[in-house]
Amino acid sequence: GDMLFTERTGKLRMVHGGKLLAKPVEGVPQVLNTSMFDGLLDVKLDPEFAANRTIYLTFTTGTDTERTGTIHKAPLEGGRLLDGHVIFNTAIPAPAGGPNIMRILFMPDKTMLVGVGSGGQGSRGMVQRLDNQSGKIIHLNRDGSPVADGPFAKTAGARPEIWATGFRNPAGLPRAADG
């Protein structure tokens, strides 16, 4: 019955017993928060959270002119993230506005799809290029490595984690009942 949610400013908050806890979760990594597109973005529980207490966070790091999308993995114990580490960073730093809207969806096989926003890079053709993750859906294992045999895994010059291209800002990743 508890709930976790992110605040763009870099705070991870918890609702317990229907009440917002006054103290934010400790151990959250520092995030870049200089525009309305930056900050702490998504939080997802590991598919085996009951056993491993692991959560995943997505956020923006870098500088005003070179932003990077980041995925961080850490166990949550007693209102604190312990021994967390970065498992994935986007390949090409983007200017103001991106990357953003990094959303995670766990699949039935416990791999994850991650929607990475275009960060305003659509006009530069970044969403169609295969050398970056801007405007893409990427497919990762829970350790941040690309899932084997992705659709672009054997394409020269392509990032092997790319699953789908050509998105502006995949702000949600639903999965239909039939998979």
Side-chain angles (χ1 to χ4, degrees), residues 48-108:
E48 297 173 342
F49 178 79
N52 65 23
R53 305 290 299 168
T54 298
I55 68 166
Y56 298 79
L57 299 171
T58 66
F59 51 91
T60 310
T61 57
T63 67
D64 283 345
T65 58
E66 293 191 339
R67 287 165 162 73
T68 302
T70 301
I71 303 172
H72 183 88
K73 176 181 180 177
L76 174 65
E77 291 294 336
R80 180 168 181 72
L81 297 180
L82 306 172
D83 302 321
H85 60 283
V86 171
I87 62 167
F88 184 84
N89 284 308
T90 52
I92 298 176
N100 53 36
I101 318 285
M102 293 182 65
R103 297 285 187 231
I104 297 173
L105 171 68
F106 281 101
M107 302 302 287

Coordinates of all heavy atoms in Angstrom, one line a residue, residues 48-108:
E48 N 11.0 -8.2 -9.2 CA 11.2 -9.0 -8.0 C 11.4 -8.2 -6.7 O 12.1 -8.6 -5.8 CB 12.4 -10.0 -8.3 CG 12.1 -10.9 -9.4 CD 13.3 -11.8 -9.8 OE1 14.4 -11.4 -9.5 OE2 13.0 -12.7 -10.6
F49 N 10.8 -7.0 -6.7 CA 11.0 -6.1 -5.6 C 10.7 -6.7 -4.2 O 11.5 -6.5 -3.2 CB 10.0 -4.9 -5.7 CG 10.2 -3.9 -4.6 CD1 11.2 -3.0 -4.6 CD2 9.2 -3.8 -3.6 CE1 11.4 -2.1 -3.5 CE2 9.3 -2.9 -2.6 CZ 10.4 -2.1 -2.5
A50 N 9.7 -7.6 -4.1 CA 9.4 -8.2 -2.8 C 10.6 -9.0 -2.2 O 10.8 -9.0 -1.0 CB 8.2 -9.1 -2.9
A51 N 11.4 -9.5 -3.1 CA 12.6 -10.3 -2.7 C 13.9 -9.5 -2.7 O 14.7 -9.7 -1.8 CB 12.8 -11.5 -3.6
N52 N 14.1 -8.5 -3.6 CA 15.3 -7.8 -3.7 C 15.3 -6.3 -3.3 O 16.3 -5.7 -3.2 CB 16.0 -8.0 -5.1 CG 15.2 -7.3 -6.2 OD1 14.4 -6.4 -5.9 ND2 15.4 -7.8 -7.4
R53 N 14.1 -5.8 -3.1 CA 13.9 -4.4 -2.6 C 14.5 -3.4 -3.6 O 14.8 -2.2 -3.2 CB 14.4 -4.2 -1.2 CG 13.9 -5.1 -0.2 CD 12.5 -4.9 0.2 NE 12.3 -3.6 0.7 CZ 11.1 -3.0 0.9 NH1 10.0 -3.6 0.6 NH2 11.0 -1.8 1.4
T54 N 14.7 -3.7 -4.8 CA 15.4 -2.9 -5.8 C 14.5 -1.9 -6.5 O 13.4 -2.4 -6.9 CB 16.2 -3.7 -6.8 OG1 17.2 -4.4 -6.1 CG2 16.9 -2.9 -7.9
I55 N 14.9 -0.7 -6.7 CA 14.1 0.3 -7.5 C 15.0 0.8 -8.6 O 16.3 0.8 -8.5 CB 13.5 1.4 -6.7 CG1 14.6 2.3 -6.1 CG2 12.6 0.9 -5.6 CD1 14.0 3.6 -5.6
Y56 N 14.4 1.4 -9.6 CA 15.1 2.1 -10.7 C 14.7 3.5 -10.8 O 13.5 3.8 -10.7 CB 14.8 1.4 -12.0 CG 15.3 -0.1 -12.0 CD1 14.6 -1.1 -11.4 CD2 16.5 -0.4 -12.7 CE1 15.0 -2.4 -11.4 CE2 17.0 -1.7 -12.7 CZ 16.2 -2.7 -12.0 OH 16.7 -4.0 -12.0
L57 N 15.6 4.4 -11.0 CA 15.3 5.8 -11.1 C 15.8 6.3 -12.5 O 16.9 5.8 -12.9 CB 16.0 6.7 -10.1 CG 15.6 6.4 -8.6 CD1 16.5 7.2 -7.7 CD2 14.1 6.8 -8.4
T58 N 15.1 7.2 -13.2 CA 15.7 7.8 -14.4 C 15.8 9.3 -14.0 O 14.9 9.9 -13.3 CB 14.8 7.6 -15.6 OG1 13.5 8.3 -15.4 CG2 14.6 6.1 -15.9
F59 N 16.8 10.0 -14.6 CA 17.0 11.4 -14.3 C 18.0 12.0 -15.3 O 18.6 11.2 -16.1 CB 17.5 11.6 -12.9 CG 18.7 10.8 -12.4 CD1 20.0 11.2 -12.6 CD2 18.5 9.6 -11.8 CE1 21.1 10.5 -12.2 CE2 19.6 8.8 -11.4 CZ 20.9 9.3 -11.6
T60 N 18.1 13.3 -15.3 CA 19.0 14.0 -16.1 C 20.3 14.4 -15.4 O 20.2 14.8 -14.2 CB 18.4 15.3 -16.6 OG1 17.1 15.0 -17.2 CG2 19.2 16.0 -17.7
T61 N 21.4 14.2 -16.0 CA 22.7 14.6 -15.4 C 23.5 15.4 -16.5 O 23.0 15.5 -17.6 CB 23.6 13.4 -15.1 OG1 23.8 12.6 -16.2 CG2 23.0 12.6 -14.0
G62 N 24.6 16.0 -16.1 CA 25.4 16.7 -17.1 C 25.4 18.2 -16.8 O 25.3 18.6 -15.6
T63 N 25.4 19.0 -17.9 CA 25.4 20.5 -17.8 C 24.3 21.1 -18.6 O 23.6 20.3 -19.3 CB 26.8 21.0 -18.3 OG1 26.9 20.8 -19.7 CG2 28.0 20.3 -17.6
D64 N 24.2 22.4 -18.5 CA 23.1 23.1 -19.3 C 23.3 22.8 -20.8 O 22.3 22.8 -21.6 CB 23.2 24.6 -19.1 CG 22.6 25.0 -17.8 OD1 21.9 24.2 -17.2 OD2 22.8 26.1 -17.4
T65 N 24.5 22.6 -21.3 CA 24.7 22.4 -22.8 C 25.0 21.0 -23.2 O 25.0 20.6 -24.3 CB 25.9 23.3 -23.2 OG1 27.1 22.9 -22.5 CG2 25.6 24.7 -23.1
E66 N 25.2 20.1 -22.2 CA 25.4 18.7 -22.5 C 24.6 17.8 -21.5 O 25.2 17.4 -20.5 CB 26.9 18.3 -22.5 CG 27.6 19.0 -23.6 CD 29.0 18.4 -23.8 OE1 29.6 17.9 -22.9 OE2 29.5 18.6 -24.9
R67 N 23.4 17.5 -21.8 CA 22.5 16.7 -20.9 C 22.6 15.2 -21.2 O 22.6 14.9 -22.4 CB 21.1 17.2 -21.0 CG 20.9 18.5 -20.3 CD 19.5 19.1 -20.7 NE 19.1 20.1 -19.8 CZ 19.6 21.3 -19.8 NH1 20.7 21.6 -20.6 NH2 19.2 22.2 -18.9
T68 N 22.6 14.4 -20.2 CA 22.6 13.0 -20.4 C 21.4 12.3 -19.6 O 21.2 12.7 -18.5 CB 23.9 12.4 -19.9 OG1 25.0 13.0 -20.6 CG2 24.0 10.9 -20.1
G69 N 20.8 11.4 -20.2 CA 19.8 10.6 -19.5 C 20.4 9.4 -18.8 O 21.3 8.8 -19.3
T70 N 20.0 9.2 -17.6 CA 20.7 8.2 -16.7 C 19.6 7.3 -16.1 O 18.6 7.7 -15.7 CB 21.5 9.0 -15.6 OG1 22.4 9.8 -16.2 CG2 22.2 8.0 -14.7
I71 N 20.0 6.0 -15.9 CA 19.2 5.1 -15.2 C 20.1 4.6 -14.0 O 21.2 4.1 -14.2 CB 18.8 3.8 -16.0 CG1 18.0 4.3 -17.3 CG2 17.9 2.9 -15.2 CD1 17.7 3.2 -18.2
H72 N 19.5 4.7 -12.8 CA 20.2 4.3 -11.6 C 19.4 3.2 -10.9 O 18.2 3.2 -10.9 CB 20.2 5.5 -10.7 CG 20.9 5.4 -9.4 ND1 22.2 5.6 -9.2 CD2 20.4 5.1 -8.1 CE1 22.6 5.5 -8.0 NE2 21.5 5.1 -7.3
K73 N 20.1 2.2 -10.3 CA 19.5 1.0 -9.7 C 20.0 1.0 -8.3 O 21.2 1.1 -8.0 CB 20.0 -0.2 -10.5 CG 19.5 -1.5 -9.9 CD 20.0 -2.6 -10.8 CE 19.6 -4.0 -10.3 NZ 20.1 -5.1 -11.2
A74 N 19.1 0.8 -7.3 CA 19.5 0.7 -5.9 C 18.4 -0.1 -5.1 O 17.2 0.0 -5.4 CB 19.7 2.1 -5.3
P75 N 18.9 -0.8 -4.0 CA 17.9 -1.3 -3.1 C 17.4 -0.2 -2.2 O 18.1 0.7 -1.8 CB 18.7 -2.4 -2.4 CG 20.1 -2.1 -2.6 CD 20.2 -1.2 -3.8
L76 N 16.1 -0.3 -1.8 CA 15.5 0.6 -0.9 C 15.3 -0.1 0.4 O 14.6 -1.1 0.5 CB 14.1 1.0 -1.5 CG 13.2 1.9 -0.6 CD1 13.9 3.3 -0.3 CD2 11.9 2.1 -1.3
E77 N 15.9 0.4 1.5 CA 15.7 -0.2 2.8 C 15.5 1.0 3.8 O 16.3 1.9 3.9 CB 17.0 -1.0 3.2 CG 17.2 -2.2 2.4 CD 16.1 -3.3 2.7 OE1 15.5 -3.2 3.8 OE2 15.9 -4.1 1.8
G78 N 14.4 0.9 4.6 CA 14.2 1.8 5.7 C 14.3 3.3 5.3 O 14.9 4.1 6.0
G79 N 13.7 3.6 4.1 CA 13.7 5.0 3.7 C 15.0 5.6 3.2 O 15.2 6.7 3.1
R80 N 15.9 4.6 2.7 CA 17.2 5.0 2.2 C 17.6 4.1 1.0 O 17.3 2.9 1.1 CB 18.2 4.9 3.3 CG 19.6 5.3 2.8 CD 20.6 5.5 4.0 NE 21.9 5.8 3.6 CZ 22.2 7.0 3.1 NH1 21.3 8.0 3.0 NH2 23.4 7.3 2.8
L81 N 18.2 4.7 0.0 CA 18.7 3.9 -1.1 C 20.1 3.5 -0.7 O 20.9 4.3 -0.3 CB 18.8 4.7 -2.4 CG 17.4 5.1 -3.0 CD1 17.6 5.9 -4.3 CD2 16.5 4.0 -3.2
L82 N 20.4 2.2 -0.8 CA 21.8 1.7 -0.4 C 22.5 1.2 -1.7 O 22.0 0.5 -2.5 CB 21.6 0.5 0.6 CG 20.7 0.8 1.8 CD1 20.5 -0.5 2.6 CD2 21.4 1.9 2.6
D83 N 23.8 1.4 -1.7 CA 24.7 0.8 -2.7 C 24.2 1.0 -4.1 O 24.3 0.1 -4.9 CB 24.9 -0.7 -2.4 CG 25.5 -0.9 -1.0 OD1 26.4 -0.1 -0.6 OD2 25.1 -1.8 -0.4
G84 N 23.6 2.1 -4.5 CA 23.1 2.4 -5.8 C 24.2 2.6 -6.8 O 25.3 3.0 -6.4
H85 N 23.9 2.4 -8.1 CA 24.9 2.6 -9.1 C 24.1 2.9 -10.4 O 23.0 2.4 -10.7 CB 25.8 1.5 -9.3 CG 25.2 0.2 -9.6 ND1 24.5 -0.6 -8.7 CD2 25.1 -0.5 -10.8 CE1 24.1 -1.7 -9.3 NE2 24.4 -1.7 -10.5
V86 N 24.8 3.6 -11.3 CA 24.3 3.9 -12.6 C 24.4 2.7 -13.5 O 25.5 2.1 -13.5 CB 25.0 5.1 -13.3 CG1 24.7 5.3 -14.7 CG2 24.7 6.4 -12.5
I87 N 23.4 2.3 -14.2 CA 23.4 1.1 -15.1 C 23.4 1.5 -16.5 O 23.7 0.7 -17.4 CB 22.3 0.1 -14.7 CG1 20.9 0.7 -15.0 CG2 22.5 -0.5 -13.3 CD1 19.8 -0.4 -15.0
F88 N 23.0 2.8 -16.8 CA 22.9 3.2 -18.2 C 22.9 4.7 -18.3 O 22.4 5.4 -17.5 CB 21.6 2.7 -18.8 CG 21.4 3.0 -20.3 CD1 22.0 2.2 -21.2 CD2 20.7 4.1 -20.7 CE1 21.8 2.5 -22.6 CE2 20.6 4.4 -22.0 CZ 21.2 3.6 -23.0
N89 N 23.6 5.2 -19.3 CA 23.6 6.6 -19.7 C 23.4 6.7 -21.2 O 23.9 5.9 -22.0 CB 25.0 7.3 -19.4 CG 25.2 7.6 -18.0 OD1 24.4 8.2 -17.4 ND2 26.3 7.1 -17.4
T90 N 22.7 7.7 -21.7 CA 22.5 7.9 -23.1 C 23.9 8.3 -23.7 O 24.7 8.8 -23.1 CB 21.5 9.1 -23.4 OG1 21.8 10.2 -22.7 CG2 20.1 8.6 -23.0
A91 N 24.0 7.9 -25.0 CA 25.3 8.0 -25.7 C 25.8 9.4 -26.0 O 27.0 9.7 -25.9 CB 25.3 7.1 -26.9
I92 N 24.9 10.2 -26.5 CA 25.3 11.5 -27.0 C 24.7 12.6 -26.2 O 23.5 12.7 -26.1 CB 24.9 11.7 -28.5 CG1 25.6 10.7 -29.4 CG2 25.3 13.1 -29.0 CD1 25.2 10.7 -30.8
P93 N 25.5 13.4 -25.5 CA 24.9 14.5 -24.7 C 24.1 15.4 -25.6 O 24.5 15.7 -26.7 CB 26.1 15.2 -24.1 CG 27.2 14.2 -24.1 CD 27.0 13.4 -25.3
A94 N 23.0 15.9 -25.0 CA 22.1 16.8 -25.8 C 22.1 18.1 -25.2 O 22.4 18.3 -24.0 CB 20.7 16.2 -25.8
P95 N 21.8 19.2 -26.0 CA 21.7 20.5 -25.5 C 20.4 20.7 -24.6 O 19.7 19.7 -24.4 CB 21.6 21.4 -26.7 CG 21.1 20.5 -27.8 CD 21.5 19.1 -27.4
A96 N 20.1 21.9 -24.2 CA 19.0 22.2 -23.4 C 17.7 21.6 -23.9 O 17.4 21.6 -25.1 CB 18.8 23.8 -23.3
G97 N 17.0 21.0 -23.0 CA 15.7 20.4 -23.4 C 15.7 18.9 -23.4 O 14.7 18.2 -23.5
G98 N 16.9 18.3 -23.3 CA 16.9 16.8 -23.4 C 18.1 16.2 -23.0 O 19.1 16.9 -22.7
P99 N 18.2 14.9 -23.0 CA 17.1 14.0 -23.1 C 16.1 14.1 -21.9 O 16.5 14.6 -20.9 CB 17.7 12.6 -23.2 CG 19.0 12.8 -22.3 CD 19.4 14.2 -22.5
N100 N 14.9 13.7 -22.2 CA 13.9 13.8 -21.1 C 12.9 12.7 -21.2 O 12.9 11.9 -22.1 CB 13.3 15.2 -21.1 CG 12.8 15.5 -22.4 OD1 12.2 14.7 -23.2 ND2 12.9 16.8 -22.8
I101 N 11.9 12.7 -20.3 CA 10.8 11.8 -20.3 C 11.3 10.3 -20.3 O 10.7 9.5 -21.1 CB 9.8 12.1 -21.4 CG1 9.5 13.5 -21.6 CG2 8.5 11.3 -21.2 CD1 8.7 14.2 -20.6
M102 N 12.3 10.0 -19.6 CA 12.8 8.6 -19.6 C 11.8 7.8 -18.7 O 11.8 7.9 -17.5 CB 14.2 8.5 -19.1 CG 15.2 9.2 -20.0 SD 16.9 9.0 -19.5 CE 17.1 7.3 -19.5
R103 N 11.0 7.0 -19.4 CA 10.0 6.1 -18.7 C 10.4 4.6 -18.9 O 10.9 4.2 -19.9 CB 8.6 6.3 -19.4 CG 8.1 7.7 -19.2 CD 7.6 7.9 -17.8 NE 6.9 9.2 -17.8 CZ 7.2 10.1 -16.9 NH1 8.1 9.9 -16.0 NH2 6.5 11.3 -16.9
I104 N 10.2 3.9 -17.8 CA 10.5 2.5 -17.8 C 9.2 1.6 -17.8 O 8.3 1.9 -17.1 CB 11.4 2.1 -16.6 CG1 12.7 2.8 -16.6 CG2 11.6 0.6 -16.5 CD1 13.5 2.7 -15.3
L105 N 9.2 0.6 -18.6 CA 8.2 -0.4 -18.6 C 8.8 -1.8 -18.5 O 9.6 -2.2 -19.4 CB 7.3 -0.3 -19.8 CG 6.3 -1.5 -20.0 CD1 5.2 -1.4 -19.0 CD2 5.7 -1.4 -21.4
F106 N 8.6 -2.6 -17.5 CA 9.1 -3.9 -17.4 C 8.2 -4.9 -18.2 O 7.0 -4.8 -18.1 CB 9.2 -4.4 -15.9 CG 10.4 -3.8 -15.2 CD1 10.3 -2.8 -14.4 CD2 11.6 -4.3 -15.5 CE1 11.4 -2.2 -13.7 CE2 12.8 -3.8 -14.8 CZ 12.6 -2.7 -14.0
M107 N 8.9 -5.7 -18.9 CA 8.2 -6.7 -19.7 C 8.0 -8.0 -19.0 O 8.6 -8.2 -17.9 CB 9.0 -7.0 -21.0 CG 9.3 -5.7 -21.8 SD 7.8 -4.9 -22.3 CE 7.2 -6.0 -23.6
P108 N 7.2 -8.9 -19.4 CA 7.0 -10.2 -18.7 C 8.2 -11.0 -18.5 O 8.4 -11.7 -17.5 CB 6.0 -11.0 -19.6 CG 5.2 -9.9 -20.4 CD 6.2 -8.8 -20.6

